[in-house]
Amino acid sequence: MIAMAVGMMSVAGSFAVQAAEEVNIYSYRQSFLIDPVVEKFEKDTGINVNVVFAKKGLAERLKREGKLTKADLVLTTDISRLMELKDKGLVAAVDSKVIEGNVPANLRDPEDEWFALTTRVRNVYASKERFGNKAISYEDLAKPEFKGKICTRSGKHPYTVALVSSMIAHHGEAKAKEWLMGVKENLARKPQGNDRGQIKAIAAGQCDVSLGNSYYFGKMLTDAKQKPTADQVHILFPNQDGRGAHVNVSGMALTKYAPNKDAAIKLMEYLTGDLAQGIYAQVNMEYPVKPGVEKSKLVASWGDFKADDLAMSDIAKYRPTALKLLDQVKFDL
């Protein structure tokens, strides 16, 4: 395997080694997630995989490289980055019955220009001591009883934007704005930190509830140093009496000028298969998109839940409006 973890685009590497058959990946996903699957793919197929990791700027890099790019495949952490690639005309459609069979229709682009690989639930984290294990909805977070009790990360973060987009899809722009204003009014502090930081804030008594992805909770529970903090928090699935919990996705897209298209599609099909989906589930405690693939034991211990089946393409459609509303209510200020 030829994997190059470069962290930031400012020091991004280049594909230094050429092989008879290879796939070059630009990845927003971290190396510890990608490497186990890539190594197994290389062993099973003999195709070499090169990876450039980055935290931002991959769409700009692809646009700058144009037809000269060496990238075949992009891996992303959420729907907004997949849509950015599509909106900028940087990806190509993939006609694959294998992928079509493995990835449900609501988790792939209607024009087959991107595909989800895993789903991640936007849970509510709640203090065991001050809130308990009770039913809750996203709509509840705007109610007066939550005044001064909510922590969350920035409104600019893609996870927040996607949730607000889903609220617009379900309730319309006016009601979504009203909800957003209610949540802002109930914040215990200015939006800040990452998802783990919200759990730490609850444990420290700064707030009673927060929003966060399920796998961060799992990561903390499996870290000896962070487990005592996570143990003070319940993970709750919102809206179980209604439409279900909002889910986001990690995903993949074939680049428009992929120089190794056939090999890249082999890898895309592999990533949606039982083995790769199982690795994703066990290593990062995300939910596989392929029906029938088992969740990790820890994730399974949280119980089954009802997921919002709103199509990812519908969520992505409202992203510009969501960003506008977040600015209008000055969510981060």
Side-chain angles (χ1 to χ4, degrees):
M1 182 183 75
I2 308 162
M4 295 172 289
V6 293
M8 300 295 290
M9 289 304 299
S10 60
V11 292
S14 60
F15 300 115
V17 179
Q18 299 297 317
E21 194 171 16
E22 65 178 7
V23 178
N24 298 321
I25 298 175
Y26 284 175
S27 177
Y28 284 119
R29 306 222 69 184
Q30 298 177 58
S31 61
F32 79 93
L33 292 171
I34 305 304
D35 289 349
V37 182
V38 164
E39 288 171 6
K40 192 73 174 76
F41 174 76
E42 288 182 321
K43 184 178 180 181
D44 289 348
T45 65
I47 299 173
N48 287 338
V49 179
N50 311 306
V51 188
V52 168
F53 295 98
K55 292 183 178 179
K56 59 183 179 180
L58 290 180
E60 290 76 10
R61 178 168 177 170
L62 277 173
K63 186 175 181 179
R64 186 172 64 250
E65 293 173 342
K67 295 181 179 179
L68 298 178
T69 188
K70 293 184 177 180
D72 301 296
L73 189 61
V74 181
L75 301 179
T76 78
T77 55
D78 85 308
I79 183 62
S80 65
R81 281 176 162 156
L82 289 170
M83 288 307 301
E84 180 185 25
L85 294 169
K86 175 172 179 170
D87 291 345
K88 292 183 177 178
L90 299 171
V91 293
V94 174
D95 181 11
S96 167
K97 295 299 181 187
V98 174
I99 299 175
E100 187 177 320
N102 290 341
V103 182
N106 67 313
L107 299 177
R108 47 187 161 88
D109 178 48
E111 297 174 323
D112 294 326
E113 292 190 4
W114 55 259
F115 305 89
L117 287 174
T118 62
T119 62
R120 51 270 298 275
V121 188
R122 202 61 183 158
N123 293 102
V124 168
Y125 300 141
S127 167
K128 288 181 178 178
E129 179 184 359
R130 299 184 300 281
F131 188 83
N133 188 9
K134 295 183 292 190
I136 191 169
S137 69
Y138 301 113
E139 287 77 3
D140 288 339
L141 299 178
K143 294 179 178 177
E145 55 261 41
F146 283 89
K147 178 77 172 178
K149 296 182 178 179
I150 300 174
C151 291
T152 187
R153 66 193 309 164
S154 169
K156 302 293 185 184
H157 194 277
Y159 299 156
T160 307
V161 176
L163 175 60
V164 175
S165 299
S166 77
M167 295 296 287
I168 297 169
H170 284 295
H171 299 297
E173 182 176 341
K175 287 192 176 298
K177 182 177 181 180
E178 183 180 339
W179 171 78
L180 200 53
M181 292 173 65
V183 174
K184 175 179 167 58
E185 186 67 22
N186 288 340
L187 293 179
R189 61 179 187 177
K190 287 184 179 180
Q192 59 190 269
N194 55 26
D195 282 15
R196 297 187 200 218
Q198 312 312 315
I199 294 175
K200 293 174 183 176
I202 293 173
Q206 294 179 278
C207 48
D208 291 353
V209 297
S210 72
L211 293 163
N213 286 356
S214 50
Y215 55 89
Y216 289 111
F217 185 62
K219 289 292 184 186
M220 292 184 73
L221 287 173
T222 53
D223 183 320
K225 291 183 178 179
Q226 297 185 1
K227 187 174 186 301
T229 300
D231 279 339
Q232 298 180 54
V233 171
H234 281 303
I235 184 167
L236 306 178
F237 298 106
N239 296 75
Q240 293 304 286
D241 294 332
R243 65 182 181 273
H246 165 65
V247 296
N248 204 327
V249 299
S250 70
M252 62 179 176
L254 181 73
T255 66
K256 184 176 181 179
Y257 299 111
N260 305 289
K261 180 179 177 181
D262 291 344
I265 292 176
K266 288 179 185 176
L267 176 55
M268 295 176 79
E269 292 175 340
Y270 191 89
L271 292 175
T272 67
D274 287 336
L275 194 148
Q277 288 285 296
I279 293 174
Y280 274 130
Q282 299 302 321
V283 173
N284 201 36
M285 289 171 280
E286 294 179 86
Y287 292 87
V289 295
K290 187 175 187 293
V293 175
E294 290 188 358
K295 302 185 285 284
S296 78
K297 288 184 178 179
L298 176 59
V299 172
S301 73
W302 300 336
D304 294 328
F305 72 99
K306 179 181 178 182
D308 187 348
D309 62 2
L310 185 66
M312 284 294 113
S313 55
D314 285 341
I315 293 175
K317 181 171 64 179
Y318 290 106
R319 184 173 180 272
T321 307
L323 288 167
K324 181 185 73 175
L325 295 186
L326 286 157
D327 283 341
Q328 287 179 348
V329 305
K330 297 180 173 56
F331 193 76
D332 282 356
L333 300 180

